[in-house]
Amino acid sequence: MAWREEDHGLSGGLRNPGLVTPLLDLALHMQAGHLTPEEYLERIQKAQGRFQRLRGRLAESILAGTNLEAYREGLMEALDDTFNLLQYGMEELQVYRIGENRAPLRMGRLLLEKGEQEYLALLEILQKDDTPGCERERTTDLWSQLTYEATRAEQGEITPEEFVETLAWGEWALRAHMDGTFRDFQRALGSLRDAPSQPHDAQQKVLVSLHRLREFLGLSV
């Protein structure tokens, strides 16, 4: 099937927007005259700074893990690979000029999407509670963190770009945690299937998972 920009994110159609779609949309804004070429490059440079802060946040999580000694080197290498892909993607976008070959946009899209996939995979590893020697990332009270940043954005204490970064981080963290919650429920169903006469064990697995989710979100339900 032929590749079309509207199918693959240059018009905002990525399945998981995160930070990638806004970057790819910059070219469309420039073509429509909403951004000058100088502003286009400036936005990409600002995004590079945001990605570096995200990299630092995840690196701190890896380095702070007390049970990650056997895995830390591999995780840090994966982190480097992830953000190298994102950096290469942004460098491709910087090459593009209106009216010239659109190959840099296509290559940038591929690299950025792959980088986002790798980021999600790495975050999921840190969120798993069944990986030997790997503790969960200590993200708690996520909703309060996001609403606090929303207040800061409203008061002008952080830039709109920084707020977008925070929301994207929250989306990534939530997606990884919800994947873990789904696995917990699958294990609970497996226990119930294997021992229907002892539903207590399955119920405990569900309750523990819900408690973790409540702590993670910081919401009482």
Side-chain angles (χ1 to χ4, degrees):
M1 183 175 65
W3 183 90
R4 296 187 304 167
E5 291 170 359
E6 59 268 31
D7 293 336
H8 296 274
L10 287 180
S11 58
L14 282 178
R15 182 176 58 184
N16 298 318
L19 291 181
V20 170
T21 294
L23 279 172
L24 295 172
D25 282 346
L26 289 177
L28 290 180
H29 295 319
M30 180 173 64
Q31 291 165 0
H34 301 313
L35 289 175
T36 66
E38 292 75 17
E39 290 171 332
Y40 170 76
L41 293 175
E42 181 182 357
R43 294 284 186 89
I44 294 176
Q45 290 167 359
K46 286 183 178 180
Q48 289 174 320
R50 294 197 300 274
F51 277 123
Q52 286 303 312
R53 288 193 293 274
L54 283 173
R55 180 178 190 160
R57 180 179 287 158
L58 196 55
E60 288 176 2
S61 177
I62 294 172
L63 294 173
T66 57
N67 298 320
L68 290 175
E69 287 81 2
Y71 301 89
R72 185 169 290 124
E73 183 177 352
L75 290 173
M76 292 302 291
E77 288 180 357
L79 183 66
D80 288 340
D81 292 342
T82 294
F83 282 89
N84 283 339
L85 284 168
L86 294 171
Q87 177 62 31
Y88 296 152
M90 286 186 287
E91 289 175 358
E92 287 291 329
L93 295 187
Q94 287 178 308
V95 172
Y96 174 67
R97 298 293 183 272
I98 296 177
E100 296 184 3
N101 192 324
R102 300 179 64 83
L105 291 183
R106 292 191 290 271
M107 182 58 68
R109 174 187 62 81
L110 292 173
L111 290 167
L112 287 167
E113 288 182 354
K114 179 61 176 175
E116 185 176 45
Q117 290 171 4
E118 294 298 316
Y119 184 100
L120 289 171
L122 184 58
L123 189 58
E124 183 177 356
I125 290 173
L126 291 180
Q127 291 284 356
K128 283 183 179 178
D129 62 346
D130 55 351
T131 301
C134 183
E135 67 177 19
R136 298 176 70 86
E137 185 183 10
R138 300 303 181 184
T139 300
T140 59
D141 200 6
L142 176 70
W143 190 251
S144 290
Q145 293 181 50
L146 296 178
T147 54
Y148 172 70
E149 293 301 315
T151 300
R152 294 182 66 207
E154 180 68 21
Q155 296 175 350
E157 296 178 9
I158 60 174
T159 66
E161 290 84 2
E162 289 172 328
F163 185 50
V164 168
E165 170 201 336
T166 299
L167 291 179
W169 166 76
E171 180 185 359
W172 282 335
L174 178 60
R175 190 180 305 138
H177 193 98
M178 292 303 294
D179 285 345
T181 300
F182 180 67
R183 286 193 299 272
D184 290 340
F185 273 73
Q186 285 180 312
R187 285 193 288 268
L189 290 174
S191 295
L192 193 60
R193 185 181 304 110
D194 295 338
S197 62
Q198 298 177 331
H200 179 73
D201 289 345
Q203 180 174 317
Q204 283 301 111
K205 285 183 171 63
V206 171
L207 291 176
V208 168
S209 183
L210 289 176
H211 177 72
R212 287 174 178 162
L213 180 60
R214 185 179 65 180
E215 282 191 341
F216 172 76
L217 291 174
L219 297 173
S220 296
V221 293

Coordinates of all heavy atoms in Angstrom, one line a residue, residues 3 6 9 31 42 48 54-55 70 84 92 99 102 105 124 139 144-145 155-158 161-163 178 200 205:
W3 N 2.4 4.8 0.8 CA 2.6 5.6 2.0 C 2.0 7.0 1.8 O 2.2 7.6 0.8 CB 4.1 5.7 2.4 CG 4.3 6.5 3.6 CD1 4.4 5.9 4.9 CD2 4.5 7.9 3.8 NE1 4.6 6.9 5.8 CE2 4.7 8.1 5.2 CE3 4.6 8.9 2.9 CZ2 4.9 9.4 5.7 CZ3 4.8 10.2 3.4 CH2 5.0 10.4 4.8
E6 N -1.1 11.6 5.4 CA -2.2 11.7 6.3 C -2.5 10.4 7.1 O -3.1 10.4 8.1 CB -3.5 12.1 5.5 CG -3.9 11.1 4.4 CD -3.3 11.4 3.1 OE1 -2.2 12.1 3.1 OE2 -3.9 11.1 2.1
G9 N 0.9 10.3 10.3 CA 1.3 11.3 11.4 C 1.7 12.7 11.0 O 1.8 13.5 11.8
Q31 N 4.5 25.0 6.2 CA 4.0 25.0 4.8 C 2.8 25.9 4.7 O 2.6 26.5 3.7 CB 3.7 23.6 4.4 CG 4.9 22.7 4.2 CD 4.6 21.2 4.1 OE1 3.4 20.9 4.2 NE2 5.6 20.4 4.0
E42 N 13.6 26.7 15.5 CA 13.6 27.0 16.9 C 12.7 26.0 17.7 O 13.1 25.5 18.8 CB 13.1 28.4 17.1 CG 13.1 28.8 18.6 CD 12.6 30.2 18.8 OE1 12.3 30.9 17.8 OE2 12.5 30.7 19.9
Q48 N 14.4 19.3 21.3 CA 15.6 18.6 21.7 C 15.9 18.8 23.2 O 16.3 17.8 23.8 CB 16.7 19.1 20.8 CG 16.7 18.7 19.4 CD 17.7 19.3 18.5 OE1 18.1 20.4 18.7 NE2 18.3 18.5 17.6
L54 N 13.6 14.6 29.5 CA 12.9 13.3 29.6 C 14.0 12.2 29.8 O 13.8 11.2 30.6 CB 12.1 13.0 28.4 CG 10.7 13.7 28.3 CD1 10.1 13.4 26.9 CD2 9.8 13.2 29.4
R55 N 15.1 12.3 29.0 CA 16.2 11.3 29.2 C 16.7 11.3 30.6 O 17.0 10.3 31.2 CB 17.2 11.6 28.1 CG 18.4 10.6 28.2 CD 19.4 11.0 27.1 NE 20.4 10.0 26.9 CZ 21.2 9.9 25.8 NH1 21.0 10.7 24.8 NH2 22.1 9.0 25.7
A70 N 22.2 -5.7 38.2 CA 22.5 -6.7 37.1 C 22.0 -6.3 35.8 O 22.4 -6.8 34.8 CB 21.9 -8.1 37.5
N84 N 19.0 8.4 21.0 CA 19.7 8.6 19.8 C 18.7 8.5 18.6 O 18.9 9.4 17.7 CB 20.8 7.5 19.6 CG 22.0 7.8 20.5 OD1 22.2 9.0 20.9 ND2 22.8 6.8 20.8
E92 N 16.8 14.9 11.1 CA 16.3 14.8 9.8 C 15.2 15.9 9.5 O 15.2 16.5 8.4 CB 15.6 13.4 9.6 CG 16.6 12.3 9.5 CD 17.4 12.3 8.2 OE1 16.8 12.8 7.2 OE2 18.5 11.9 8.2
G99 N 9.4 23.1 -0.3 CA 9.6 23.0 -1.8 C 10.7 22.1 -2.2 O 10.9 21.9 -3.4
R102 N 11.1 15.8 0.2 CA 10.4 15.5 1.5 C 11.0 14.2 2.2 O 10.4 13.8 3.2 CB 8.9 15.3 1.2 CG 8.2 16.6 0.6 CD 6.8 16.3 0.4 NE 6.0 16.1 1.6 CZ 5.6 17.1 2.4 NH1 5.9 18.4 2.1 NH2 4.9 16.8 3.5
L105 N 11.5 14.4 5.9 CA 10.3 14.2 6.7 C 9.9 12.8 6.9 O 9.6 12.4 8.0 CB 9.1 15.0 6.1 CG 9.2 16.5 6.1 CD1 7.9 17.1 5.5 CD2 9.4 17.1 7.5
E124 N 8.1 0.3 30.1 CA 7.3 -0.8 30.6 C 8.2 -1.8 31.4 O 7.7 -2.4 32.3 CB 6.7 -1.5 29.3 CG 5.8 -2.7 29.7 CD 5.2 -3.4 28.5 OE1 5.4 -2.9 27.4 OE2 4.5 -4.4 28.7
T139 N 6.7 6.1 40.6 CA 5.8 7.1 40.2 C 4.5 7.0 41.0 O 3.9 6.0 40.9 CB 5.5 7.0 38.7 OG1 6.7 7.2 38.0 CG2 4.6 8.1 38.3
S144 N -2.0 14.3 40.7 CA -1.7 15.5 41.4 C -0.5 16.2 40.7 O -0.4 17.4 40.6 CB -1.4 15.3 42.9 OG -2.6 14.9 43.6
Q145 N 0.5 15.4 40.3 CA 1.6 16.0 39.6 C 1.2 16.7 38.3 O 1.6 17.8 38.0 CB 2.6 14.9 39.2 CG 3.3 14.2 40.4 CD 4.3 13.1 40.0 OE1 5.1 13.4 39.1 NE2 4.2 12.0 40.6
Q155 N -0.4 29.8 35.1 CA 0.2 31.0 35.7 C 1.5 31.4 35.0 O 2.1 32.4 35.4 CB 0.5 30.7 37.2 CG -0.7 30.4 38.0 CD -0.4 30.0 39.4 OE1 0.8 29.8 39.8 NE2 -1.4 30.0 40.3
G156 N 1.8 30.8 33.9 CA 3.0 31.2 33.1 C 4.3 30.8 33.8 O 5.4 31.3 33.4
E157 N 4.3 29.9 34.7 CA 5.6 29.5 35.4 C 6.4 28.5 34.5 O 7.6 28.3 34.7 CB 5.3 28.9 36.8 CG 4.7 29.9 37.7 CD 4.4 29.2 39.1 OE1 4.8 28.1 39.3 OE2 3.7 29.9 39.9
I158 N 5.7 27.8 33.6 CA 6.4 26.9 32.7 C 5.8 27.2 31.3 O 4.7 27.8 31.2 CB 6.2 25.4 33.0 CG1 4.7 25.0 33.0 CG2 6.8 25.1 34.3 CD1 4.4 23.5 33.2
E161 N 5.3 24.4 25.8 CA 6.0 23.2 25.4 C 6.4 22.3 26.6 O 6.3 21.1 26.5 CB 7.3 23.7 24.7 CG 7.1 24.3 23.3 CD 6.7 25.8 23.4 OE1 6.8 26.3 24.6 OE2 6.5 26.5 22.4
E162 N 6.8 22.9 27.7 CA 7.1 22.1 28.9 C 5.9 21.4 29.4 O 6.0 20.3 29.9 CB 7.7 23.0 29.9 CG 9.1 23.5 29.6 CD 9.6 24.6 30.6 OE1 8.8 25.3 31.1 OE2 10.9 24.6 30.8
F163 N 4.7 22.1 29.3 CA 3.5 21.4 29.8 C 3.2 20.2 28.9 O 2.7 19.2 29.4 CB 2.4 22.4 29.8 CG 1.1 21.9 30.4 CD1 1.1 21.2 31.6 CD2 -0.1 22.0 29.7 CE1 -0.1 20.7 32.1 CE2 -1.3 21.5 30.2 CZ -1.3 20.9 31.4
M178 N -0.8 0.8 33.2 CA -2.1 0.1 32.8 C -1.8 -1.2 32.2 O -2.5 -2.2 32.4 CB -2.9 1.0 31.9 CG -3.5 2.2 32.6 SD -4.5 1.8 34.1 CE -5.9 1.0 33.4
H200 N -10.0 -16.9 46.7 CA -9.4 -15.9 47.6 C -8.1 -15.4 47.0 O -7.8 -14.2 47.0 CB -9.2 -16.4 49.0 CG -8.5 -15.4 49.9 ND1 -9.2 -14.3 50.4 CD2 -7.3 -15.4 50.4 CE1 -8.4 -13.6 51.1 NE2 -7.2 -14.2 51.1
K205 N -4.9 -11.0 44.4 CA -4.1 -10.4 43.3 C -4.8 -9.2 42.7 O -4.1 -8.2 42.4 CB -3.9 -11.5 42.2 CG -2.9 -12.6 42.5 CD -2.7 -13.5 41.3 CE -1.6 -14.5 41.5 NZ -1.8 -15.4 42.7

